[in-house]
Amino acid sequence: MTFNIAIDGLTTTGKTSIGYSLAKRLNFNFIDSGLFYHYLAYYNINSTNFNQHTYNTLINCSNSNTFSSLDISQKASELSKDEEIRSLINQEIKKLTKEKRFVVVGRDITTNILPDAEFKILLSADFETRFGRRVMQLVEENPQNILYDIITHDNDSKSLINCLKKINFCKRCKKSIDNNFDSESYKSTTLSSITIITEESQKSLKNKGIFDDVIKKYSAKYITSQSGTVENDNIFWSDNEMQMDDKYRLLLSNYSLTCKLEEKYLVALSHLTLVEKYSIPVKETKNAIETQLIIQSNLKKKYKEMITSYEIDSREFSLIVPITSKKQIPISKRINPNKNYFDYYNIPTGKKERDEIYDEYAIREIKEETGITI
Ligand SMILES: Nc1ncnc2c1ncn2[C@@H]1O[C@H](COP(=O)(O)OP(=O)(O)OP(=O)(O)O)[C@@H](O)[C@H]1O
Ligand SMILES: Nc1ccn([C@@H]2O[C@H](COP(=O)(O)O)[C@@H](O)[C@H]2O)c(=O)n1
């Protein structure tokens, strides 16, 4: 049975994030219509041949990292003004969504592309929130260019804004959902969308049953999300899952990632000062970046400590058997109560310092552990 959910809203209101996670949870297909424009822009900018295979994989895809830089975004906006391209993409979306269940997001979806969608959501968020999100998302880009990009996109969406102003909004969209900064995360907005969709859909006999299993599955999670569970994206590992060398490599790569992120956030922070000149409120964005800076700096410190301790632990360890001219083997007693084998006797043992040659190492250990100078 066809059942489409159309999600509309200005740029950076969270259409893609919310739409994608909604589709995953409902087991619907997903289309980010903007991705088609980004994709065409990518091939246009890079002057490469159109790749039908990649084009086909845009369905059910939300990860547009390759196509998400600002120059691609600007080009996408330019291409979207070409009526022929728009018409081709819109026809494609209409055709695809005739058969299965889809969540489709993008400009004009609720009004022009899928006016008959069974369920419509309009997402909203204020300008500063949207600007802040984009700065965080494209942290290496200059916020002044981001500002320009958002204004261009909002300009593209004038017809949507006018259309929504003119008509009775509730007739067009079942609910308007505020996806502002103060909402916990887009995940909780997704879950509240599900609740609204399931409640509304159950009222209509036509759709009854479609969401039954979704309600069962997600109602418990919704409550968890509301009470403030935060998911952490940090990578952790356990000793038994990984060889020591892999662990060391991962530590080094995590450390260098945190250094790079810290640098990016610092640059973004200094760029924001320029944007403030336009009287754009950037306090929230600055706070968010400052929080990220603290997180990255703590992570950097943690990784550094772990690397140092790994390097100390993984130093070469040897037993040394010194034999005196009288054919005696000196032994020592372990006197540190906090170490293993306290009160036992042993021959000199220990870890080689990284810059020591073997002779120096043996001489040092024998001196430290038996008092004999060689
Ligand atoms: N409630 C939220 N809280 C924090 N960040 C959010 C929230 N919703 C979305 N975001 C973040 O905002 C950024 C933009 O979101 P997204 O790409 O989903 O918006 P969009 O409406 O699809 O934008 P566009 O129309 O330009 O494609 C992403 O980095 C996303 O993770
Ligand atoms: N249905 C759509 C979706 C997007 N556009 C325009 O394409 C550009 C890129 O889209 P994003 O919102 O994903 O960045 C942008 O200018 C959109 O307005 C469109 O015309 N129709």
Side-chain angles (χ1 to χ4, degrees), residues 23-42:
K24 281 257 164 233
R25 286 177 156 88
L26 297 173
N27 205 15
F28 274 37
N29 287 286
F30 174 74
I31 296 179
D32 172 5
S33 54
L35 199 53
F36 287 80
Y37 295 92
H38 280 253
Y39 173 81
L40 293 177
Y42 172 82

Side-chain angles (χ1 to χ4, degrees), residues 7-20 30 32-35 38 62 64 73 105-107 123 125 129-130 132-138 149-150 153 157 178-190:
I7 306 186
D8 219 323
L10 293 178
T11 185
T12 331
T13 44
K15 298 184 295 295
T16 309
S17 335
I18 291 165
Y20 186 72
F30 174 74
D32 172 5
S33 54
L35 199 53
H38 280 253
S62 86
S64 55
S73 176
V105 308
R107 171 149 79 84
L123 289 173
T129 301
R130 293 191 287 127
R133 281 180 193 156
R134 203 48 115 211
V135 171
M136 298 299 283
Q137 191 183 22
L138 304 173
D149 187 66
I150 296 184
H153 276 65
S157 306
D178 191 5
N179 185 30
N180 252 339
F181 227 55
D182 50 2
S183 68
E184 254 172 55
S185 77
Y186 69 82
K187 285 174 189 150
S188 64
T189 316
T190 306

